[in-house]
Amino acid sequence: MYAKVIVDVPAKQTNRGFDYLIPEALREWVAIGSRVAVPFGPRKLQGFVVELHDRPDFDPAKLKPISEVLDLYPPLTPDLVELAEWVSQTYLCHEITALQAMVPGALKAKYERHIKVGDKDLDGAHGDLLSQGQHTLLLPIEEDIIEFVRGKGSIEIGSLLSKFTSQGSLIKQMITQGQLLEVQLIKDRMSAKKVLTVFPVEQPLQLMDWAEQLPDKSKKQKQVLLYLAESPYPIKLSDLLSELNISASTVKGLADKGYLSIKEVEVQRDPYALRTFPRTVPLTLTPEQEVVFGSISQAVNELEHRVFLLHGVTGSGKTEVYLQSIQTCLDQGREAIVLVPEISLTPQMVERFKGRFGNQVAVLHSRLSQGERFDEWRKIMLKQVNVVIGARSAIFAPFTKVGLIIIDEEHESSYKQEESPKYHARDVSIARAAQHGAVVVLGSATPSLESMYGTLPEAEQTQIGSSGNPPATLRSIGNLAKPKVRFELLTMRERVEGRPLPKVHIVDMREELSEGNRSMFSRSLHKAIEDRIQKKEQIVLLLNRRGYATFVMCRSCGYVAECPHCDISLTYHQSAKTLRCHYCGYTEREATVCPSCSSEHIRHFGTGTQRVEEELGKLFPGIRVIRMDVDTTTEKGSHEKWLTLFRNQQADVLLGTQMVAKGLDFPMVTLVGALAADTVLNLPDFRAAERTFQLLTQVGGRAGRHELPGEVFIQTYTPEHYSIISASKHDYTSFMDKEMGFRKFHDYPPFHRLILITLSHEQIPLLMRSAETFAAKLKELAKSLAPVPIEILGPVASPISRIKDRYRFQCMVKYRGEASIAGLVQQAAATLSDVEKQYKLTISIDVDPQVLM
DNA sequence: AGCACGCCGACT
DNA sequence: GTCGGCGTGCTC
């Protein structure tokens, strides 16, 4: 038996399995998914076992053995290993990168090279060398080094070199000669936390006996024994010390006498340990919820891989349906994964799950420390929980019997990871569910076009899938190779308790300006704010900072500079004072007067939350504002703090960026204002209208969720835009119809798929040449695929044309059908590899990009 | 990615 | 004549 190992080197040349012998002693411990240490060339590396097999594709006589198995249990399940391969082939990343993404950061290897005194030191080597007649007297500096290392036992090579600067070559020589010994260590960044714990070793009576036998001067020791006699349970050493106000030596003394024992005990850092969650019971479902729950639970019970798209208006009670569906899944002895966008993984959300399922729930989100994260993950691995709720990466929870995967707010772009592996959690979920025969529920009040598209009958999909077929070259062809399932649409149109959706007003800010109101609050919103303050009701104000000063708009007529070829707004480029389209490269000079109405009120648009906060203070003296944006929420727990403050009505206004729009539920909020609804709309992105509709619908949904009815004001310079009109009428269907038409007309997703390739280099000429070469090569390769429709746009400069002193050019591939275009892109990129190596050109490939920068 | 092996300039 | 520069190529 041999093991195929993917080693911890994210490079093209090492992106394959390497075969290793499994030493007899490790045979029991090596499994698919094991993390191992292996010799690799002259060094020792971490790797993951991805296959066990009998026939290595390398001379078995030359195979090296695995040196070590790094964990008691494999951190990855075989299905995750298979999924990693699928991820790496679908999203074009090195396989090790995909594997690494599946385990907590704490398990990422830290390589340390340590130096010890070698066995050929002074005593051992003398005779040998003397007999060979060699000069054996060590130089004084060598003696110093050896003494120093001996004193430390073992020392990190870096610290040794910094202690003996400029002795690098001497030290190297000493290693070669065996006076010093190099050992390579692979360390985890984090391990299970251990705490010294004191255990009584006998019954209370015996302890009291011992206490009496102690000499009178050992007052403290007596005290400890009596304490343990009184409560004969293990206690944390630190607790015992502070409890009795004694020092560790006292307890140590007792341990030496054998009167008690001190052991290291593994403890879990439970971030929620100090909180109790009141248990909740399933609520009675509304008839609509009942229907939806029925469909989901039936599928779960039948162990069928099906995908549901649950379209439920804000406040329709999707979470309760999730909770009861999970219960069905648990009743079957299977496990459930719940994904929520990072931003809405609030304590409130956690509370609902912990309240229903208690300590069967693990929570994974980025605000946990690395150690806390590791412990939550460990609970999953050790099967101490059967529900996990978390952000994107929780889809890789090492469960073995997944029955249900829920993706809440499935339209959120944060499900797409922007770093390698650039996976989309929604598509990975479906792949993982296929492996387990599990049910997927995609929930949203504003489903993405991709997901709606998935519900269409195949004929209408024009034979295109949004997630594509897995490549046929997977090591083990499992359920991942099965064809994509069609999504089933479930709908909930009513809010619970028959509460009405809020009334939405569209405010035309052009009119405000023409009537002399230059403030960022329209007269009607101003009045509404006054009204709520007086009634002691609460207000949520949304100001999206994204798009800050990137687009140009006329404040008189609402004209926005658009690309004549692409129907998207142009990006303002500060450096050259030009407007550019980053799809096709079209460029025009920045206008000083509006080309449409000749007004001079044309400018870069954008304003910050800070300014709004100031103005609120001026307009409404005494108003209590909580501002939530990246500046005020970076500190750990601050997010929670602000929300609690607002919940307790210690503020009148919650002002913030997108983070105030998602999933919050405050009974006293009756007014919501979107101050500049256009900011997202004018981003140079074909999804701008979709994002605007989603954002306005979501933020509007914060109002009037309880007894008090809600009201929403949308301030805009483009009140006639269909995304704004549809949002104001709560009319998802008409928005979807229009947007689908737009996408289809322009060959955008979901009708076509995209791959974004970004090349970067320090020098523009070389970069442009490489980009051209790449595009030409890709076009040539694409010809072989005819008649598959494939279009290659660019190369053009990226919207962010330089990052960290590197210029960026991009190409966009638009295609239809299931052909493996990703493979072609990789091939075309490979033809550049020699140039790449020589001149440090980098190529990044994003399959199904969400952000086109 | 490292790290070693291997072939050309400034020093004892 | 050697130490050392970093260009190519391999790692089971």
Side-chain angles (χ1 to χ4, degrees):
Chain A
M1 202 63 124
Y2 307 97
K4 209 172 263 307
V5 174
I6 305 279
V7 294
D8 188 17
V9 180
K12 199 160 25 205
Q13 297 189 44
T14 50
N15 189 29
R16 60 190 176 90
F18 287 85
D19 293 316
Y20 284 90
L21 298 170
I22 307 172
E24 193 55 51
L26 297 182
R27 200 140 296 185
E28 289 288 310
W29 300 94
V30 175
I32 291 178
S34 292
R35 204 164 54 108
V36 292
V38 290
F40 195 68
R43 23 184 205 154
K44 196 157 111 190
L45 291 178
Q46 185 183 95
F48 288 94
V49 175
V50 294
E51 202 185 319
L52 297 173
H53 62 290
D54 300 317
R55 257 191 297 144
D57 34 43
F58 194 74
D59 181 2
K62 291 182 187 162
L63 289 184
K64 293 183 185 175
I66 289 175
S67 0
E68 217 180 322
V69 177
L70 296 169
D71 311 272
L72 197 50
Y73 305 105
L76 291 173
T77 60
D79 74 286
L80 282 172
V81 170
E82 183 194 38
L83 190 66
E85 195 187 359
W86 179 85
V87 165
S88 72
Q89 294 190 10
T90 305
Y91 297 101
L92 301 181
C93 68
H94 301 122
E95 204 166 337
I96 189 66
T97 313
L99 289 163
Q100 217 79 262
M102 295 180 168
V103 295
L107 295 186
K108 198 167 157 45
K110 218 169 77 183
Y111 296 100
E112 282 182 10
R113 296 167 63 196
H114 282 238
I115 301 296
K116 281 198 210 165
V117 176
D119 35 20
K120 285 197 176 176
D121 62 6
L122 281 172
D123 312 320
H126 253 189
D128 257 23
L129 293 175
L130 274 178
S131 64
Q132 287 164 30
Q134 286 182 21
H135 178 66
T136 61
L137 285 176
L138 292 170
L139 299 168
I141 181 72
E142 290 180 310
E143 298 210 32
D144 282 357
I145 292 173
I146 287 178
E147 267 329 292
F148 181 75
V149 172
R150 196 197 302 279
K152 296 272 179 183
S154 135
I155 183 171
E156 217 270 313
I157 192 159
S159 354
L160 183 64
L161 288 174
S162 61
K163 174 82 185 173
F164 295 94
T165 36
S166 77
Q167 299 298 340
S169 50
L170 176 63
I171 288 173
K172 204 170 171 184
Q173 189 193 325
M174 289 170 74
I175 293 170
T176 339
Q177 294 178 355
Q179 290 140 354
L180 292 178
L181 192 69
E182 186 182 343
V183 274
Q184 297 195 40
L185 297 179
I186 297 178
K187 280 195 174 169
D188 292 346
R189 313 238 153 173
M190 188 76 55
S191 55
K193 188 175 169 183
K194 294 202 175 132
V195 159
L196 290 176
T197 305
V198 177
F199 288 82
V201 291
E202 277 294 343
Q203 295 303 310
L205 280 174
Q206 177 65 62
L207 296 177
M208 283 152 99
D209 262 13
W210 283 337
E212 273 182 37
Q213 288 163 21
L214 284 170
D216 283 349
K217 60 172 184 140
S218 312
K219 251 164 71 183
K220 296 275 186 182
Q221 293 198 351
K222 282 187 183 190
Q223 211 182 337
V224 172
L225 286 176
L226 292 175
Y227 181 93
L228 283 176
E230 204 169 301
S231 88
Y233 307 105
I235 178 173
K236 264 165 71 179
L237 179 63
S238 57
D239 286 353
L240 184 66
L241 299 186
S242 57
E243 190 88 5
L244 300 178
N245 193 24
I246 52 175
S247 77
S249 61
T250 313
V251 185
K252 183 87 180 0
L254 286 166
D256 290 344
K257 292 181 192 133
Y259 291 171
L260 51 78
S261 76
I262 304 174
K263 290 183 212 160
E264 276 197 331
V265 171
E266 230 174 69
V267 292
Q268 279 172 349
R269 287 153 282 219
D270 184 347
Y272 299 97
L274 296 175
R275 297 192 44 180
T276 53
F277 296 91
R279 285 310 275 246
T280 63
V281 290
L283 305 173
T284 311
L285 298 177
T286 65
E288 262 189 352
Q289 286 176 319
E290 194 67 62
V291 172
V292 169
F293 169 66
S295 307
I296 297 171
S297 59
Q298 190 196 343
V300 169
N301 282 325
E302 287 168 0
L303 312 182
E304 252 187 281
H305 169 52
R306 284 162 72 181
V307 179
F308 294 100
L309 175 57
L310 170 53
H311 175 210
V313 299
T314 56
S316 60
K318 289 187 287 290
T319 310
E320 185 59 33
V321 173
Y322 299 156
L323 291 169
Q324 298 196 18
S325 304
I326 292 169
Q327 189 59 58
T328 308
C329 173
L330 299 188
D331 289 346
Q332 270 193 359
R334 302 224 280 171
E335 299 133 337
I337 300 174
V338 184
L339 300 189
V340 297
E342 183 69 57
I343 204 160
S344 60
L345 191 52
T346 55
Q348 222 177 322
M349 190 74 167
V350 172
E351 202 168 314
R352 291 196 70 175
F353 281 82
K354 288 247 178 188
R356 190 66 58 84
F357 302 113
N359 54 15
Q360 296 177 82
V361 183
V363 183
L364 289 170
H365 60 78
S366 65
R367 270 164 284 130
L368 298 177
S369 71
Q370 200 177 42
E372 288 170 336
R373 237 186 121 69
F374 175 65
D375 287 350
E376 290 293 301
W377 177 84
R378 223 150 166 277
K379 282 187 207 167
I380 302 167
M381 206 187 73
L382 299 175
K383 303 237 177 296
Q384 294 168 351
V385 295
N386 41 28
V387 178
V388 59
I389 173 169
R392 191 173 56 222
S393 65
I395 191 56
F396 301 125
F399 280 145
T400 48
K401 295 174 293 174
V402 181
L404 179 63
I405 301 175
I406 290 167
I407 303 175
D408 191 31
E409 312 288 358
E410 66 84 24
H411 61 274
E412 277 289 318
S413 59
S414 63
Y415 283 124
K416 183 80 195 307
Q417 175 147 306
E418 295 298 332
E419 313 85 62
S420 190
K422 302 186 176 184
Y423 67 93
H424 199 300
R426 188 208 296 137
D427 295 332
V428 175
S429 301
I430 295 169
R432 184 138 201 238
Q435 293 179 302
H436 289 253
V439 172
V440 177
V441 177
L442 308 172
S444 175
T446 53
S448 64
L449 273 91
E450 281 82 353
S451 297
M452 278 311 279
Y453 190 80
T455 66
L456 299 178
E458 229 165 274
E460 285 174 48
Q461 290 194 5
T462 48
Q463 302 152 8
I464 314 156
S466 74
S467 31
N469 270 345
T473 52
L474 286 178
R475 266 187 306 268
S476 50
I477 302 286
N479 287 329
L480 282 175
K482 284 189 186 162
K484 191 172 165 279
V485 298
R486 186 177 146 197
F487 300 178
E488 298 164 63
L489 184 62
L490 303 170
T491 313
M492 297 200 297
R493 290 179 180 82
E494 308 280 327
R495 283 188 156 185
V496 290
E497 315 251 333
R499 286 167 193 145
L501 286 162
K503 171 119 186 63
V504 183
H505 312 273
I506 299 177
V507 186
D508 186 343
M509 293 303 276
R510 293 171 304 190
E511 261 174 49
E512 295 291 318
L513 189 69
S514 72
E515 298 195 16
N517 179 11
R518 301 176 136 266
S519 142
M520 49 191 110
F521 299 99
S522 59
R523 289 157 300 170
S524 45
L525 178 57
H526 189 285
K527 226 172 119 204
I529 295 176
E530 262 176 353
D531 173 65
R532 297 314 134 109
I533 294 177
Q534 204 210 326
K535 287 192 197 153
K536 303 229 181 305
E537 292 170 7
Q538 288 181 299
I539 304 159
V540 168
L541 292 179
L542 169 79
L543 181 80
N544 224 319
R545 267 207 318 203
R546 268 186 69 191
Y548 186 84
T550 51
F551 69 101
V552 168
M553 183 169 76
C554 171
R555 302 246 289 171
S556 300
C557 72
Y559 162 87
V560 171
E562 280 181 10
C563 174
H565 306 296
C566 305
D567 267 358
I568 53 157
S569 32
L570 293 171
T571 307
Y572 175 66
H573 283 243
Q574 184 93 48
S575 48
K577 302 244 184 285
T578 54
L579 300 175
R580 267 185 229 161
C581 168
H582 73 260
Y583 282 78
C584 68
Y586 170 84
T587 305
E588 66 177 41
R589 287 202 58 77
E590 183 195 9
T592 48
V593 294
C594 172
S596 168
C597 72
S598 302
S599 156
E600 285 179 0
H601 292 297
I602 184 162
R603 62 191 59 179
H604 324 138
F605 202 76
T607 177
T609 46
Q610 264 173 348
R611 241 185 81 198
V612 178
E613 189 181 19
E614 277 168 33
E615 196 165 328
L616 274 170
K618 279 186 211 144
L619 293 172
F620 310 98
I623 196 168
R624 298 166 304 169
V625 181
I626 290 177
R627 177 162 64 91
M628 270 182 47
D629 53 34
V630 278
D631 303 330
T632 66
T633 53
T634 41
E635 199 185 315
K636 189 173 170 172
S638 59
H639 200 250
E640 182 171 351
K641 187 181 80 195
W642 294 127
L643 293 179
T644 310
L645 223 62
F646 191 62
R647 171 174 305 280
N648 297 341
Q649 297 192 55
Q650 287 165 288
D652 312 298
V653 178
L654 180 65
L655 162 69
T657 54
Q658 334 209 12
M659 59 182 88
V660 303
K662 324 275 166 143
L664 304 176
D665 190 354
F666 300 111
M668 292 307 286
V669 171
T670 60
L671 174 65
V672 166
L675 296 180
D678 313 83
T679 46
V680 181
L681 191 55
N682 291 306
L683 288 175
D685 187 322
F686 68 88
R687 283 188 245 259
E690 184 184 3
R691 299 247 164 82
T692 301
F693 178 79
Q694 286 164 350
L695 188 62
L696 294 177
T697 304
Q698 298 288 339
V699 74
R702 299 313 107 211
R705 297 175 70 94
H706 294 259
E707 281 76 29
L708 299 164
E711 202 177 11
V712 178
F713 287 82
I714 297 176
Q715 301 192 154
T716 172
Y717 290 90
T718 46
E720 66 285 346
H721 195 277
Y722 62 92
S723 64
I724 291 177
I725 293 174
S726 300
S728 77
K729 293 182 180 159
H730 309 290
D731 188 351
Y732 176 79
T733 312
S734 81
F735 170 76
M736 186 52 56
D737 284 349
K738 283 228 175 56
E739 187 65 10
M740 279 285 188
F742 165 78
R743 301 285 182 90
K744 187 163 194 174
F745 184 78
H746 289 282
D747 294 342
Y748 282 132
F751 297 91
H752 279 63
R753 297 186 64 193
L754 301 179
I755 300 177
L756 178 71
I757 303 103
T758 308
L759 300 95
S760 70
H761 191 264
E762 287 175 353
Q763 295 159 31
I764 294 182
L766 185 137
L767 176 59
M768 281 175 69
R769 264 202 314 278
S770 310
E772 292 290 352
T773 313
F774 168 78
K777 182 73 194 172
L778 185 56
K779 278 172 190 159
E780 188 193 312
L781 288 170
K783 270 191 215 142
S784 68
L785 278 181
V788 178
I790 167 166
E791 203 182 334
I792 293 138
L793 304 174
V796 295
S798 295
I800 305 172
S801 65
R802 190 168 64 152
I803 292 179
K804 289 184 187 161
D805 291 324
R806 296 179 69 86
Y807 291 93
R808 296 148 49 87
F809 266 66
Q810 65 185 35
C811 293
M812 180 76 81
V813 183
K814 266 187 185 178
Y815 65 101
R816 290 171 36 173
E818 300 288 2
S820 177
I821 307 297
L824 291 191
V825 173
Q826 206 167 35
Q827 234 179 296
T831 63
L832 286 177
S833 61
D834 49 338
V835 184
E836 180 185 341
K837 258 201 260 171
Q838 215 168 336
Y839 299 104
K840 291 176 185 157
L841 179 89
T842 58
I843 304 177
S844 128
I845 303 170
D846 191 350
V847 178
D848 299 335
Q850 287 290 310
V851 182
L852 303 171
M853 318 239 256

